[in-house]
């Protein structure tokens, strides 16, 4: 019974993510501006820093531990094609800018075993946390009204949300946002 409930929950999350991803894809094709949250930045930040999820070792990690860094929080799943496309770029950017105070955090809405295998295969060099409906709720509370994937928040060193993106995020666009944030230290 518990396995059936898990399958139903993952199917529902998948449908929400696919619908949101399709919407974001269509919306981004129609205009070049990001799909931004209609949520107050300070509310989103406070909500985000109150949350925590288990890492791949099963240890709960509070998001507040990364306060003070330029933070990129990415909600994703292993079955999400745009997520799989952007993660190798995130890995490169974490390597390139990590010493300057950049911190990526991935919050996977997926099964831990699949996330672990994907993380190992990709060589993910930043914290990977695993959530379920709580992670979906957090993404929605921080501006992802549709619950689509991928969804990314970018916060400055003070913890202010400076940008959000629903759908795949290009390296050029992300670097254009990050460089000024990393320059202020």
């Amino acid at each position: 019974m518990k396995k059936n409930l898990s399958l139903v929950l993952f199917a529902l999350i998948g449908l929400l993510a696919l619908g949101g991803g399709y919407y974001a894809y269509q919306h981004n094709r129609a205009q070049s501006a990001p799909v931004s949250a209609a949520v107050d930045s300070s509310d989103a930040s406070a909500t985000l820093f109150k949350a925590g999820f288990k890492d791949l070792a099963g240890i709960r990690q509070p998001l507040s531990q990364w306060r003070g860094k330029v933070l990129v929080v990415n909600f994703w799943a292993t079955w999400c094609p745009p997520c799989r496309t952007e993660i190798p770029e995130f890995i490169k950017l974490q390597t390139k800018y990590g010493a300057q105070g950049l911190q990526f955090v991935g919050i996977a809405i997926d099964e831990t075993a699949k996330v672990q295998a994907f993380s190992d295969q990709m060589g993910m060099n930043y914290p990977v946390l695993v959530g379920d409906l709580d992670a979906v709720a957090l993404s929605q509370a921080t501006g992802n009204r549709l619950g689509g994937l991928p969804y990314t928040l970018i916060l400055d060193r003070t913890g202010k949300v400076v940008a959000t993106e629903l759908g795949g995020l290009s390296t050029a666009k992300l670097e254009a946002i990050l460089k000024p944030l990393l320059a202020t230290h």
Side-chain angles (χ1 to χ4, degrees), residues 110-134:
D110 210 328
E111 297 175 32
T112 303
K114 290 179 180 178
V115 174
Q116 181 71 64
F118 182 81
S119 177
D120 291 346
Q121 175 189 4
M122 298 304 296
M124 292 176 77
N125 59 351
Y126 55 87
V128 177
L129 310 178
V130 181
D132 50 24
L133 292 179
D134 289 343

Side-chain angles (χ1 to χ4, degrees), residues 26-57:
Q26 292 298 331
H27 186 68
N28 282 338
R29 272 187 34 182
Q31 64 188 49
S32 61
V35 179
S36 295
V39 140
D40 181 275
S41 173
S42 60
D43 289 346
S45 176
T47 301
L48 187 73
F49 285 125
K50 286 180 189 172
F53 298 96
K54 289 183 179 177
D55 63 16
L56 294 173

Side-chain angles (χ1 to χ4, degrees), residues 1-176:
M1 179 69 176
K2 187 174 181 179
K3 185 170 179 116
N4 287 341
L5 181 58
S6 292
L7 290 173
V8 169
L9 286 175
F10 280 115
L12 287 173
I13 292 169
L15 288 173
L16 281 171
L18 286 173
Y22 179 76
Y23 170 82
Y25 170 76
Q26 292 298 331
H27 186 68
N28 282 338
R29 272 187 34 182
Q31 64 188 49
S32 61
V35 179
S36 295
V39 140
D40 181 275
S41 173
S42 60
D43 289 346
S45 176
T47 301
L48 187 73
F49 285 125
K50 286 180 189 172
F53 298 96
K54 289 183 179 177
D55 63 16
L56 294 173
I59 300 167
R60 187 176 188 284
Q61 299 292 335
L63 293 172
S64 61
Q65 70 183 295
W66 294 293
R67 187 185 301 268
K69 295 193 175 268
V70 174
L71 185 61
V72 179
V73 179
N74 176 250
F75 293 86
W76 66 284
T78 61
W79 43 261
C80 165
C83 302
R84 296 175 71 96
T85 299
E86 68 186 5
I87 286 174
E89 298 306 313
F90 293 170
I91 293 167
K92 289 176 189 172
L93 291 172
Q94 180 64 56
T95 299
K96 185 175 181 179
Y97 296 112
Q100 295 175 43
L102 176 65
Q103 183 62 64
F104 278 83
V105 176
I107 302 176
I109 301 170
D110 210 328
E111 297 175 32
T112 303
K114 290 179 180 178
V115 174
Q116 181 71 64
F118 182 81
S119 177
D120 291 346
Q121 175 189 4
M122 298 304 296
M124 292 176 77
N125 59 351
Y126 55 87
V128 177
L129 310 178
V130 181
D132 50 24
L133 292 179
D134 289 343
V136 174
L138 177 62
S139 79
Q140 290 174 326
T142 58
N144 185 5
R145 295 182 313 262
L146 298 173
L149 294 176
Y151 176 66
T152 305
L153 296 107
I154 302 162
L155 293 85
D156 66 13
R157 293 180 197 275
T158 68
K160 178 183 176 198
V161 176
V162 296
T164 63
E165 183 79 19
L166 177 58
L169 187 54
S170 74
T171 302
K173 188 174 193 175
L174 183 54
E175 275 192 301

